[in-house]
Amino acid sequence: MAGAAAGMGSARAALAQSSGNAVDLTHAYDGAFPTFDGNPGILYEEAVNIDKSGYQLWKLTIYEHTGTHIDAPLHFSKDGASVADLPVENLVAPLCVLDLTAKAAEDANAMVMKEDIDAWISANGEIPAGACMAMHSGWAAKVGDPAFRNTPEGAFAFPGFSREATDYLAELGAASIAVDTLSLDPGNSADFAVHFSWLPGGRFGIENIANLDQLPARGATIFIGAPKHKTGTGGPARIIAVV
């Protein structure tokens, strides 16, 4: 709890010094937005017709892990915290943006490594307690293109974190990680090592984050609008950064 409290204090300090410029880090999505399993992540059904009733209403069927969304600890553990139980102090946090675009341009399955985090620290200072470390690979610009998800041959291909990097971030006191791709693990992962280690440790992740190219490496505060349905393994979220 001490680390979480320190993270909240750091976030408040950063917010107090900000210009107040808000950046939406959330993709608008519909049934065509790419998903890990290839199936539509949200389905619409008309519940109330405006011509008949004077107002309109959709019935939505939403799969938790679609669009810009959260992976809660419960996603990869039987008894981890649900999305409704995430500590609120970790939903407002200092945001660290790690630029992986050069590596990702050369390798679609590039990974954030410990050395990348060390380079970030050398350039920007220590990672604040309770921070969210976000990987900016440039992949958000590919949404709508099959290359966001696959190679031309149909194999998964997108950047992600390595387990050595997330183990290191856990030691440094980060509370969450974020990626601008479909998964915390790279597309060619065979074992979901980051999901199986980072999430059961009580931390959470954000997938399909947007607009990281509009933010500095350090200095923004992230606001994570997590859903709060009981026993949820995650869910679509509205994510906003203030610089």
Side-chain angles (χ1 to χ4, degrees):
M1 286 301 294
M8 176 62 90
S10 181
R12 286 174 176 162
L15 186 59
Q17 297 169 22
S18 76
S19 67
N21 180 42
V23 178
D24 193 349
L25 305 184
T26 316
H27 288 286
Y29 85 114
D30 58 17
F33 193 89
T35 60
F36 194 85
D37 63 10
N39 296 318
I42 182 170
L43 303 174
Y44 295 77
E45 179 182 341
E46 185 179 61
V48 180
N49 182 277
I50 193 167
D51 293 327
K52 295 178 180 178
S53 304
Y55 69 102
Q56 52 193 344
L57 182 67
W58 295 106
K59 174 184 176 182
L60 300 180
T61 299
I62 297 175
Y63 294 87
E64 288 180 314
H65 297 271
T66 57
T68 301
H69 68 275
I70 290 173
D71 282 10
L74 189 60
H75 186 34
F76 269 68
S77 60
K78 287 186 176 182
D79 57 359
S82 77
V83 71
D85 297 323
L86 294 177
V88 68
E89 58 268 22
N90 290 340
L91 301 180
V92 180
L95 178 62
C96 305
V97 180
L98 191 152
D99 189 341
L100 200 75
T101 54
K103 286 176 66 171
E106 295 183 359
D107 178 7
N109 290 296
M111 291 189 290
V112 176
M113 306 298 291
K114 179 180 181 293
E115 63 194 43
D116 298 309
I117 296 169
D118 282 333
W120 189 97
I121 292 171
S122 293
N124 302 285
E126 294 300 316
I127 295 171
C132 174
M133 174 61 79
M135 176 196 78
H136 168 40
S137 70
W139 235 246
K142 298 177 184 283
V143 169
D145 186 317
F148 181 76
R149 184 175 184 270
N150 299 326
T151 65
E153 295 72 36
F156 283 131
F158 42 79
F161 280 88
S162 67
R163 177 169 180 175
E164 74 162 24
T166 53
D167 285 351
Y168 188 37
L169 287 170
E171 292 175 10
L172 294 174
S176 60
I177 57 174
V179 295
D180 55 359
T181 61
L182 279 171
S183 176
L184 305 178
D185 289 278
N188 63 354
S189 173
D191 57 7
F192 294 98
V194 171
H195 280 83
F196 276 112
S197 57
W198 181 259
L199 298 177
R203 293 164 290 272
F204 66 94
I206 304 167
E207 295 172 337
N208 296 323
I209 202 165
N211 295 325
L212 290 174
D213 58 332
Q214 297 181 30
L215 297 173
R218 184 188 183 105
T221 301
I222 191 169
F223 292 80
I224 303 164
K228 204 173 181 181
H229 55 295
K230 294 181 179 180
T231 72
T233 69
R238 190 67 180 266
I239 314 293
I240 296 169
V242 175
V243 186

